[in-house]
Amino acid sequence: MRVFLTVLAFCWFLVGVFMVLQYHREKEFKAELLDTRLQMHNEQIIQDLRNGEDIINIIQKIDVPVDGLRVTLIDSKGEVIYDNDTHISSRPLSNHNNRPEIIEARNFGKGHAVERISESDDIPYFYSAQLGDNGLVVRSAAPYTHSLIDFLRADFTLLWIMAGLTLVMSLFAFWSSHKISLSITRLSRFAEKAERGEPIYDEEAFPNDELGNIASNIIHLYVQRDQHHKKALKQEQDKIRLKKQLTNNINHELKTPVASILLCLELLEDHPELSDDKKTDFMDKIKINAQRLNALLLDVATITRMDEGATLIEKENVDLKALIDEIIEEERLRTNMKIILDIPSLIVYGNRILLESIFRNLIDNAIAYSGASEMKISADSEGNFIIRDNGCGIPSEHLPYIFERFYRVDKGRSRAAGGTGLGLSIVRNAITLHGGDITAENNNGLTYRFNLKVNKNATKST
């Protein structure tokens, strides 16, 4: 508001100066116009005097431009030698060479004076004087009658128009400044909230103007940045939580196989008299638990690599159909489950090892836990996959959690089968890194649906 009042005062000052100048300019123009008319009258008198006519005859025949016009002839000495006002001409008059219009006429040929009171009759006149021959000055004096005063009065129409326009502009300026003030006030509230760390929502509307748009964009960008910051902070907190959870789960998962290995080694060391069959049995248990430890460490390494270095994972164009064919051929060597592959040729730009882990883990899970006799892997040209088996499925209460790390539906059965509890978590993370997501549902068995981003412009890897 202070800025508005300052600018408004400055504008009114400029308009006031302009109106004063225009008023004086208008009066000067009117005076010059009247002076021109009287000077033409003076010039006509001078011309007639040159032609030898008598001044009285001239005055009688010449048209008078203004009612009540006085005509005075002044010689080079400043004495009045003629005045058409007989009442005045009979009086002794002072020297006229000190009159401003006479001085100007003698110096420049013509001169005039606005509203000077005559010493002879105390009436204000408008004087126009012109220098003639032999130092003679012809002076015409128009008395300030009502008609002359009206003529010389400045025209206030333009001034009123300017005042009206200025008032309209002031109202418009107030309206505009009010809109600007709204934006500034809201920006000020935004700054105060931001300084106090209060939540800011991009809901408050701003005027639809340049400043309003800029203010709205500033708040929108701040809200976006704040949301991104909160999201990044939450992700960082989730990572820390997951790391702690992973560490705790790893410690828990390591205890069982390590304890089993140590127990078997202690028994072998303390009882050398054990039979060969018993010793072989203990060695088999040690080997199984060592393999389980190795599998757990490999899975943990995979999870950690995806968490810590997703952008550093090497990628290439991978022919999925060929890759899945290789996996199926290997899996058929250790299972009687029928595996059907029905997918077109698909090229995915990704990491071959992680893509392999997706399909190998899903197939291994079906073999180990589902009891299925058949599994079908199908996909369309857009990379939408459906992997379905005809096994026992998963209780519905467990479905929302099966992709979490170390989550087991049947913990005893999973450990007995050699599972680490990280397989499906690896699957989900690998799919996410390749631009997709995965869901699971029971449908006469277990059905997985996920999508992988297909590189349609790539040629098959050779």
Side-chain angles (χ1 to χ4, degrees), residues 223-235:
V223 171
Q224 276 191 332
R225 187 190 68 83
D226 189 53
Q227 289 175 345
H228 290 160
H229 175 72
K230 289 179 179 178
K231 184 178 180 181
L233 183 62
K234 185 177 183 303
Q235 289 176 343

Side-chain angles (χ1 to χ4, degrees), residues 259-275 278-279 281-283 285-286:
S260 180
I261 291 172
L262 289 175
L263 178 61
C264 291
L265 289 174
E266 289 173 0
L267 289 173
L268 288 173
E269 183 180 13
D270 294 340
H271 301 279
E273 74 282 1
L274 290 174
S275 65
K278 207 64 173 171
K279 289 180 180 179
D281 184 46
F282 284 141
M283 292 299 295
K285 288 181 179 179
I286 292 173

Side-chain angles (χ1 to χ4, degrees), residues 216-250:
S216 180
N217 288 334
I218 289 173
I219 293 182
H220 181 67
L221 290 174
Y222 179 87
V223 171
Q224 276 191 332
R225 187 190 68 83
D226 189 53
Q227 289 175 345
H228 290 160
H229 175 72
K230 289 179 179 178
K231 184 178 180 181
L233 183 62
K234 185 177 183 303
Q235 289 176 343
E236 187 63 28
Q237 291 173 343
D238 288 343
K239 280 186 178 181
I240 294 173
R241 179 179 57 80
L242 288 174
K243 284 179 182 178
K244 290 181 179 179
Q245 181 182 357
L246 180 62
T247 302
N248 293 334
N249 288 335
I250 289 172

Side-chain angles (χ1 to χ4, degrees), residues 284-303:
D284 288 340
K285 288 181 179 179
I286 292 173
K287 182 179 179 181
I288 290 171
N289 282 285
Q291 289 174 341
R292 183 180 170 194
L293 280 175
N294 184 60
L296 178 63
L297 293 175
L298 289 176
D299 283 349
V300 169
T302 302
I303 287 285

Side-chain angles (χ1 to χ4, degrees), residues 7-26:
V7 173
L8 185 63
F10 180 70
C11 291
W12 273 101
F13 172 76
L14 291 180
V15 170
V17 170
F18 171 79
M19 292 173 70
V20 170
L21 292 176
Q22 178 63 24
Y23 173 77
H24 287 289
R25 181 69 185 88
E26 182 80 8

